[in-house]
Amino acid sequence: MKRRDFLFADTSTDKRVKDDILFQAVLAPKKGVLTSEDAKHLLKRTTYNVSQALIDKFTGMDVSDAVDMILGDGLDELPENEDRLPNGSDSLGWIGDPIEQNPKTAGDVTIRGKLEGILRNRFKEFVDWLIELKRNEVIDENNSSKEKFSDFLSTIWNIEFTYDTDEFLPPNLLYKNNYTLRKLRFSSYKKIAEEMTLDGAFLLYQSLNLSTKGNPNENYARELLELFTMGIGNYNEYNIREMSKLLTGWRTAPYKQMGAPNGYFNTYFVPEEHDVEEKIVFQKSFPARDQDSNNEFKVREEEVMRLITVIFEERADAIANFIMTKVYKFFVYSNPGAIDETFINQLATVFKDNDFNLRAVYKFLFTSDYFYEDRFRGIQIKTPVEFFLNLQSETGVSYDQTRIALLQTDQEIYEPINVAGWLGHRTWISTNTYPYRATHARSIVDRMSQENIFAYVTNISGSTEAETFINNLSNFVFPKAIAPDRLAYLKSVLLVGIEESSFADELANQSDTLRTNLIELIKQITITPDYHLT
Amino acid sequence: MKRRDFVKTSAGITAGVIAAPYIMKANHKPTFKPASELGFDDDDNITIIIELFGGHDGLNTIYPAESAKLHEFREFALEPEESIKIEEGLGLYYHPSLVNNIVDDGFRGLGNTGRLAVIEGVGYNNMTMSHFRSRDIWHSGINNTDPKFPLLDGWLGRFIASKLTNYPEEVPDHPIAVSMGGTIPLALKSEKGDMGIALINPEVFFNQGAGLKPPYPSMVGDDNYTKENNFLHTVGLQSEQYSKAIYEAYQSGQNSFDYKSESLFEKAFETISRLINGGLKTKIFYIGRNFFDSHVMQQIGPTEGQHPLYLNQVARSVSNFMKDASNLGFEKRITGYTFSEFGRRVKQNGSRGTDHGAGSMMFVFGHFNNLQGGIQGTPPDLDVLDENDNIRVRPEEDFRRIYSDFLKYRFAATDTEIENVFGEYIDPYEVLRAYVSVEDDYIKGGKEVGLSVYPNPSMGKSKLAFELKKATNLKLLVYSYDGSFQKEIANGFIQAGNYTFDLNIFKLGMYTAVLIIKGRRYSTKFTVVR
């Protein structure tokens, strides 16, 4: 029995223990406890909401325990753990509610406008809700990190709200898709591929909803291989054509007028549209089927699910390398010219040995010596989401223009530039986006209340002494210590019109002068290059 | 202890030690100089690059509308009556979106005045149908489809970086390249950094750029933290410096008419024109348009559907821009081209669209002094497709040859510089040339003397004579005075030599005989009397 079969077949809770034993045998993780710098590095890379208090909590923890707290048990996908996941039905009342028809099919221009308006409003609410989830994220014994790890998957499985020629993807489907990725963020990547292939949002976005026998559409088949699993150079055009035939016949039901055999927003199968001829993918035969076997249940099992199995079996190495490269770029260093193949191979081995389980990979990564090397600290350019959420977390401000800020800094949620998603690294920063970061950062700081401003100070330890405060603040907001002259400069901004010796008094009295200076200081921090690094 | 002693040199120092502060350069303030003092040729050439992202269907832009095969393969292909025939013949037609409702007859107008070339069948060896890899190949100018080989910089980025030897200590006072839109394309990236800036709105840029120059120098070091930090530092600096230069040009410049832009894409051309008119010394403007990936419902008639819609935007924008350039007096400085990462499948798919293809066509446009207009390359052969059912690309139609043309003729690059950009010397395509008058080149004697009709006036039997200096394709047509076509006298490839053609038009009236060579028209009038 292959080791893989053993892990896969075993569904007891001992599974988690077996995983730990497995990878510990492969390589010795970083030993010992986390220093405060280690804790800061780990937390900044795994969550958007990092406070000094959270860093303090993780300081002194054993690295394995710390990572276990961040990852949780990885079993959110189990039905009994449903309540762990954020449920949108309270804030987003329209989750189960389909609109009448596809706006594009409405003959009347007024009706079309009205329907599009509904979809746009729902989309805005959905995105605002997602942003709120990120703001409110808590990491502790009962709450694992959800946002960064779901976002990581979203950067692979890209979807655009506005696609093709002015089509809008019903936000109900985006919500479902997002929920699925969050649920499976620590699960098997194979499972993710299975669920995404028949996911309603993808059926629409990648034209599978229109794919019929005789006229199959290649869009999804190509992207599944090229963008979502293995990358180019690992398949040929013949495979794409055969896969397109295999994937015919699946539909989603987002509109009242179009019927919903499995309920609205659930995927269903139309046998008449399915190509029942034999298909050969990666040299494996998917035999032709007759009327009796051309039904939803069988086609799903014997063709779609089996397709994913075949892909992961036939191209395990390519998939592992491709996906682990993405993990590396997202969590370690996004520079496409600095990919460390050796370490990625280690990640790939863990990935394959654990049947493509993501939690196993993350556990390995975040407890490795490698991750904590100094050369990886402070080299990641913050994504716009990271930049704005870090700042809101630090300032205590809930910025209602976050969605706009993200649009203007090129990370409009669910509107990536195209299906390959964002290129990341330095493409986040241009003479267009950098000024927008600065402008919105200023707006955020301007919205700090009196309470926020002085809490900003007291949240930093050693805050009654100007010198200590500046040093500790700098250590908190910047990834690495900055040169003494720059510290001196920041201190000078803090102490405009204030004697250093009276800093403690000014603080206690919450003086107007100090308040003004603090606002200016925080703004200066936001246009410091170091602040854009993590 | 000197500060420098604290600088960490070895990797792998475990946490617990706060890393020592990094050293900064003393007195680092870049010097801003005109491009001509930084190794660039002292010309005022401007290159406009338009990317049609998604896979532009060249076969539905310039196409053989009369071909039965075309209509057999594509239900949505337009009929000859719906399309606009290209004078030169070869059976090719303009898509009506390129011409109708566009100023000065759109691309037909440009074509008829020698301002437009169509380069057919362009691509590269073994084209990949991945948008992203293929696009990277077009941007980097490196023909490598192996995903293990990362493409990290662009052909123009490398060229510009090779000129800016003291970057970032010495930088151009105006941005060498501007990407209209929020992002810097790969084409403008280099190892030294981004060789262009991103611009959407000059006024917003100016307001936001103020104060972004870091009040301290950049850092010294070879590690990634220093490099990323300095990259951010440079962007902050450029934001402040260049937003001022752009703003000044924007304030002093103006357009000669309202383009009535309906999209940001079209508006970008208006902005470019105004900036040029206002004195901005930028040499390269890049604009990208999405939405050419027409898998579904590509076309529902001459004006409806994804393809006609966006094609029309492109044609409108370029035509408006060229007219504006002419009115404002800077047209002579302009050349530009469109490109796309690949064309589309010859046969349509089941969703009234097309899947990814291979070779396609490029438009090259500009003042007629700057290029040889007309159809060039190999028009699509629908009888012989490649193994993926795509239009074949021949080795001589490598897209880098067009780039080489631009480097040679618009950037005064030497052969060595061209070789350094591509890693090998690429033979220029020669669509761009210092324009040589057709009269001097082909017809002996100059414009009026070159073509002569005798006897004139005649009673019908007359002859047209000229001396052809070089072998070429040509067409000889006769129109009556009201512009209506009368007859075709000759059409084909002929050798150099002296020629006479019988005109033999017996209906009374005034006529014009037109000789067309490579998009240039030569005419002479004659009369038939009783």
Side-chain angles (χ1 to χ4, degrees):
Chain A
M1 198 192 238
K2 294 198 301 257
R3 183 199 282 156
R4 188 173 301 172
D5 292 339
F6 179 62
L7 285 173
F8 199 65
D10 188 345
T11 53
S12 73
T13 51
D14 289 337
K15 183 178 189 315
R16 196 57 54 224
V17 173
K18 286 185 179 70
D19 284 348
D20 283 354
I21 294 172
L22 172 68
F23 87 81
Q24 273 169 26
V26 167
L27 118 79
K30 178 181 168 70
K31 290 196 181 60
V33 300
L34 295 175
T35 63
S36 61
E37 285 297 307
D38 294 336
K40 180 176 91 179
H41 177 61
L42 173 63
L43 287 166
K44 290 223 161 171
R45 296 293 181 96
T46 53
T47 178
Y48 297 117
N49 232 357
V50 184
S51 62
Q52 185 64 53
L54 190 63
I55 294 175
D56 293 340
K57 182 184 171 105
F58 274 70
T59 303
M61 273 180 92
D62 177 76
V63 68
S64 184
D65 294 336
V67 175
D68 279 340
M69 187 176 290
I70 290 171
L71 303 180
D73 61 16
L75 299 174
D76 285 10
E77 62 183 300
L78 299 180
E80 57 262 38
N81 290 328
E82 203 180 61
D83 58 342
R84 295 182 186 177
L85 296 165
N87 187 322
S89 18
D90 298 323
S91 339
L92 308 170
W94 39 262
I95 297 283
D97 185 19
I99 58 173
E100 199 56 39
Q101 63 186 137
N102 182 343
K104 279 193 103 164
T105 59
D108 187 307
V109 141
T110 330
I111 296 180
R112 176 173 175 170
K114 183 160 168 273
L115 291 172
E116 285 181 348
I118 294 175
L119 292 179
R120 280 207 204 89
N121 281 337
R122 289 182 177 182
F123 179 63
K124 285 187 192 143
E125 286 176 17
F126 173 61
V127 173
D128 282 339
W129 177 72
L130 285 177
I131 293 170
E132 187 70 7
L133 288 183
K134 293 175 208 310
R135 267 193 214 111
N136 294 340
E137 175 155 89
V138 165
I139 312 277
D140 63 26
E141 293 77 5
N142 298 318
N143 296 288
S144 60
S145 172
K146 294 185 186 57
E147 297 312 306
K148 262 216 162 179
F149 293 95
S150 328
D151 286 354
F152 165 65
L153 289 173
S154 289
T155 63
I156 303 177
W157 299 89
N158 290 288
I159 305 183
E160 297 171 71
F161 170 61
T162 313
Y163 67 104
D164 282 355
T165 322
D166 299 333
E167 297 266 359
F168 292 138
L169 245 170
N172 317 62
L173 290 173
L174 292 178
Y175 171 83
K176 279 181 72 109
N177 178 281
N178 185 276
Y179 186 89
T180 304
L181 289 179
R182 193 176 278 110
K183 183 175 77 168
L184 297 175
R185 71 196 183 285
F186 292 135
S187 287
S188 152
Y189 195 76
K190 239 188 93 179
K191 184 114 200 276
I192 294 171
E194 285 173 5
E195 302 245 348
M196 290 293 109
T197 298
L198 292 181
D199 175 87
F202 274 100
L203 288 182
L204 283 188
Y205 179 50
Q206 295 283 290
S207 321
L208 273 180
N209 212 46
L210 298 164
S211 195
T212 60
K213 73 179 180 199
N215 281 314
N217 188 297
E218 287 182 12
N219 210 351
Y220 182 75
R222 182 183 304 281
E223 310 310 4
L224 176 63
L225 300 184
E226 181 182 338
L227 299 177
F228 307 148
T229 54
M230 62 186 77
I232 61 168
N234 294 300
Y235 54 88
N236 56 36
E237 293 297 317
Y238 180 76
N239 284 325
I240 292 181
R241 285 184 218 222
E242 293 294 286
M243 282 169 61
S244 312
K245 292 195 246 170
L246 188 149
L247 292 168
T248 50
W250 295 95
R251 301 286 178 265
T252 184
Y255 306 114
K256 280 199 187 118
Q257 276 183 16
M258 289 184 61
N262 285 345
Y264 289 116
F265 310 115
N266 292 331
T267 302
Y268 64 97
F269 180 68
V270 181
E272 303 80 69
E273 310 279 17
H274 183 62
D275 183 328
V276 298
E277 299 302 312
E278 184 195 21
K279 282 80 86 178
I280 302 185
V281 183
F282 292 114
Q283 292 163 339
K284 293 284 187 284
S285 164
F286 290 74
R289 47 192 58 240
D290 56 23
Q291 283 268 49
D292 290 331
S293 54
N294 187 24
N295 61 57
E296 181 169 328
F297 180 74
K298 283 189 180 258
V299 172
R300 174 186 271 123
E301 283 303 305
E302 295 164 11
E303 294 201 5
V304 181
M305 299 290 118
R306 181 156 170 255
L307 173 68
I308 303 297
T309 303
V310 163
I311 287 175
F312 276 70
E313 269 169 6
E314 298 303 311
R315 293 290 186 271
D317 291 340
I319 292 175
N321 187 279
F322 187 74
I323 301 299
M324 291 303 101
T325 302
K326 291 195 183 279
V327 167
Y328 189 86
K329 286 170 84 171
F330 192 88
F331 291 104
V332 181
Y333 190 28
S334 57
N335 183 345
I339 306 297
D340 184 339
E341 288 295 343
T342 315
F343 187 72
I344 285 174
N345 285 341
Q346 290 185 37
L347 291 176
T349 305
V350 174
F351 194 43
K352 282 180 289 186
D353 286 350
N354 286 276
D355 204 34
F356 305 100
N357 180 281
L358 286 167
R359 189 191 186 280
V361 169
Y362 296 137
K363 181 72 191 271
F364 176 89
L365 171 63
F366 297 122
T367 54
S368 69
D369 272 329
Y370 184 91
F371 179 74
Y372 294 92
E373 286 178 29
D374 189 67
R375 62 192 166 116
F376 295 121
R377 308 216 187 186
I379 59 176
Q380 281 286 55
I381 293 177
K382 287 184 184 173
T383 64
V385 169
E386 210 156 11
F387 179 77
F388 290 116
L389 280 157
N390 281 176
L391 185 58
Q392 289 178 65
S393 168
E394 290 155 15
T395 55
V397 171
S398 195
Y399 188 47
D400 61 357
Q401 300 293 302
T402 305
R403 192 170 29 83
I404 308 295
L406 292 174
L407 165 72
Q408 292 177 333
T409 51
D410 282 357
Q411 197 178 16
E412 196 182 356
I413 295 180
Y414 282 107
E415 290 282 41
I417 185 78
N418 55 50
V419 63
W422 295 285
L423 297 166
H425 192 222
R426 294 181 180 184
T427 63
W428 291 127
I429 308 286
S430 72
T431 46
N432 179 58
T433 56
Y434 188 73
Y436 270 112
R437 287 187 176 208
T439 303
H440 282 284
R442 273 201 295 276
S443 295
I444 291 172
V445 178
D446 280 335
R447 285 164 202 236
M448 289 175 85
S449 65
Q450 180 89 350
E451 202 186 316
N452 290 146
I453 292 170
F454 289 98
Y456 188 87
V457 180
T458 54
N459 284 342
I460 303 293
S461 57
S463 59
T464 49
E465 291 255 334
E467 178 95 10
T468 322
F469 167 63
I470 289 291
N471 283 345
N472 292 347
L473 175 63
S474 159
N475 282 339
F476 170 61
V477 292
F478 299 138
K480 281 177 171 289
I482 60 177
D485 353 7
R486 291 173 58 194
L487 282 170
Y489 171 73
L490 290 176
K491 197 170 80 167
S492 71
V493 172
L494 177 70
L495 295 175
V496 169
I498 296 178
E499 291 294 325
E500 189 160 351
S501 47
S502 27
F503 177 73
D505 284 335
E506 302 268 345
L507 183 59
N509 297 332
Q510 297 197 353
S511 75
D512 281 343
T513 318
L514 184 56
R515 178 181 200 277
T516 308
N517 292 356
L518 282 167
I519 300 240
E520 186 54 35
L521 173 67
I522 302 171
K523 285 181 181 175
Q524 285 287 324
I525 285 173
T526 63
I527 55 171
T528 304
D530 308 68
Y531 187 69
H532 294 258
L533 293 168
T534 190
Chain B
M1 214 181 223
K2 294 202 289 266
R3 187 195 285 159
R4 194 166 300 211
D5 292 342
F6 281 111
V7 174
K8 179 189 57 55
T9 49
S10 64
I13 290 180
T14 55
V17 174
I18 292 175
Y22 285 74
I23 299 296
M24 290 181 292
K25 283 189 173 131
N27 302 322
H28 167 72
K29 271 194 185 106
T31 320
F32 292 96
K33 288 180 171 175
S36 52
E37 290 175 36
L38 293 172
F40 287 90
D41 194 51
D42 192 7
D43 59 53
D44 57 4
N45 295 337
I46 296 176
T47 303
I48 313 283
I49 303 177
I50 304 172
E51 178 173 9
L52 309 176
F53 179 67
H56 163 239
D57 195 357
L59 188 59
N60 193 14
T61 297
I62 305 283
Y63 49 93
E66 296 163 36
S67 153
K69 260 235 154 72
L70 179 71
H71 293 277
E72 181 197 316
F73 287 151
R74 298 170 156 210
E75 218 175 64
F76 62 75
L78 296 178
E79 300 296 334
E81 312 81 74
E82 299 170 300
S83 318
I84 305 203
K85 192 159 188 180
I86 300 183
E87 284 276 358
E88 264 173 74
L90 303 170
L92 294 173
Y93 285 68
Y94 290 113
H95 191 288
S97 286
L98 295 172
V99 175
N100 292 339
N101 302 318
I102 301 179
V103 72
D104 287 354
D105 214 23
F107 275 26
R108 177 167 59 179
L110 292 178
N112 285 349
T113 53
R115 289 172 164 79
L116 186 73
V118 173
I119 317 217
E120 285 283 16
V122 190
Y124 54 88
N125 216 14
N126 278 331
M127 288 191 78
T128 169
M129 286 189 259
S130 149
H131 287 298
F132 311 104
R133 185 65 184 191
S134 197
R135 175 191 214 184
D136 284 352
I137 289 171
W138 279 79
H139 278 258
S140 66
I142 295 176
N143 181 2
N144 188 321
T145 53
D146 178 1
K148 284 292 172 197
F149 186 91
L151 296 171
L152 302 173
D153 53 25
W155 67 286
L156 279 170
R158 291 194 293 277
F159 177 70
I160 297 170
S162 73
K163 294 285 193 189
L164 300 177
T165 43
N166 280 336
Y167 184 91
E169 274 81 25
E170 287 185 331
V171 286
D173 54 353
H174 287 203
I176 291 276
V178 171
S179 168
M180 300 300 295
T183 51
I184 309 285
L186 184 66
L188 295 176
K189 288 182 182 283
S190 79
E191 262 177 0
K192 293 183 181 175
D194 294 345
M195 293 290 111
I197 63 158
L199 173 68
I200 297 182
N201 180 316
E203 276 159 339
V204 172
F205 186 35
F206 178 66
N207 289 333
Q208 297 198 123
L212 291 184
K213 189 171 96 170
Y216 42 79
S218 61
M219 306 206 309
V220 171
D222 251 336
D223 56 298
N224 286 320
Y225 172 70
T226 302
K227 288 186 196 168
E228 303 293 359
N229 208 309
N230 284 344
F231 166 74
L232 284 153
H233 190 278
T234 304
V235 174
L237 188 67
Q238 284 176 336
S239 295
E240 185 153 349
Q241 170 73 14
Y242 289 147
S243 65
K244 287 197 184 105
I246 285 178
Y247 187 67
E248 273 158 23
Y250 191 69
Q251 293 300 101
S252 10
Q254 58 179 356
N255 299 106
S256 64
F257 65 94
D258 181 357
Y259 289 30
K260 296 201 176 47
S261 304
E262 286 164 8
S263 65
L264 283 179
F265 175 77
E266 296 167 74
K267 187 105 183 91
F269 286 83
E270 231 176 315
T271 305
I272 294 173
S273 182
R274 183 168 161 179
L275 290 171
I276 296 172
N277 177 248
L280 191 67
K281 295 183 273 176
T282 295
K283 293 181 169 298
I284 300 162
F285 289 94
Y286 163 90
I287 315 146
R289 192 77 181 100
N290 274 335
F291 303 134
F292 280 89
D293 192 16
S294 42
H295 283 281
V296 176
M297 284 296 166
Q298 183 182 98
Q299 180 161 281
I300 315 165
T303 53
E304 247 190 277
Q306 189 174 357
H307 181 83
L309 181 70
Y310 293 112
L311 191 63
N312 182 248
Q313 271 188 9
V314 175
R316 242 202 337 265
S317 303
V318 172
S319 303
N320 281 337
F321 176 76
M322 291 299 287
K323 184 180 176 75
D324 204 13
S326 170
N327 291 345
L328 294 171
F330 64 78
E331 201 199 356
K332 283 214 173 92
R333 301 167 63 184
I334 304 295
T335 39
Y337 66 92
T338 67
F339 78 97
S340 186
E341 71 270 32
F342 41 64
R344 304 201 73 81
R345 204 69 56 81
V346 174
K347 297 178 190 153
Q348 81 175 56
N349 65 25
S351 324
R352 205 183 165 90
T354 46
D355 295 317
H356 300 174
S360 187
M361 44 130 310
M362 292 169 71
F363 285 118
V364 177
F365 60 91
H367 187 266
F368 57 78
N369 272 353
N370 300 337
L371 62 137
Q372 289 289 324
I375 312 264
Q376 304 183 37
T378 319
D381 183 349
L382 301 181
D383 292 316
V384 188
L385 303 176
D386 74 8
E387 62 275 9
N388 289 318
D389 277 349
N390 287 327
I391 294 171
R392 284 184 178 283
V393 171
R394 299 178 346 166
E396 51 268 38
E397 254 82 60
D398 185 314
F399 72 98
R400 291 172 297 168
R401 296 190 64 202
I402 314 295
Y403 291 359
S404 190
D405 244 21
F406 275 85
L407 287 174
K408 179 171 168 185
Y409 290 108
R410 307 303 290 163
F411 293 99
T414 62
D415 286 356
T416 311
E417 285 177 317
I418 293 177
E419 190 177 332
N420 287 339
V421 166
F422 298 113
E424 53 176 316
Y425 181 68
I426 304 286
D427 205 24
Y429 195 88
E430 306 287 352
V431 55
L432 299 182
R433 298 215 301 222
Y435 171 76
V436 176
S437 139
V438 171
E439 296 117 316
D440 299 331
D441 218 23
Y442 288 95
I443 306 294
K444 194 166 168 73
K447 198 165 168 176
E448 289 305 320
V449 176
L451 301 181
S452 57
V453 175
Y454 61 92
N456 183 19
S458 73
M459 297 215 303
K461 278 182 82 105
S462 58
K463 289 177 191 300
L464 180 140
F466 59 90
E467 182 182 340
L468 190 65
K469 282 190 339 190
K470 265 169 68 159
T472 181
N473 272 309
L474 59 74
K475 233 162 72 151
L476 181 55
L477 308 169
V478 175
Y479 294 83
S480 69
Y481 77 96
D482 63 359
S484 60
F485 175 71
Q486 291 301 303
K487 85 198 245 194
E488 182 180 276
I489 306 289
N491 184 355
F493 187 86
I494 66 173
Q495 299 295 334
N498 285 301
Y499 291 90
T500 51
F501 289 93
D502 291 329
L503 293 175
N504 293 349
I505 297 199
F506 296 96
K507 192 156 157 223
L508 301 184
M510 297 193 317
Y511 297 90
T512 313
V514 182
L515 182 65
I516 303 175
I517 298 179
K518 284 204 183 308
R520 288 289 288 171
R521 302 159 74 91
Y522 283 90
S523 53
T524 190
K525 293 189 175 23
F526 63 98
T527 317
V528 176
V529 298
R530 208 181 289 285

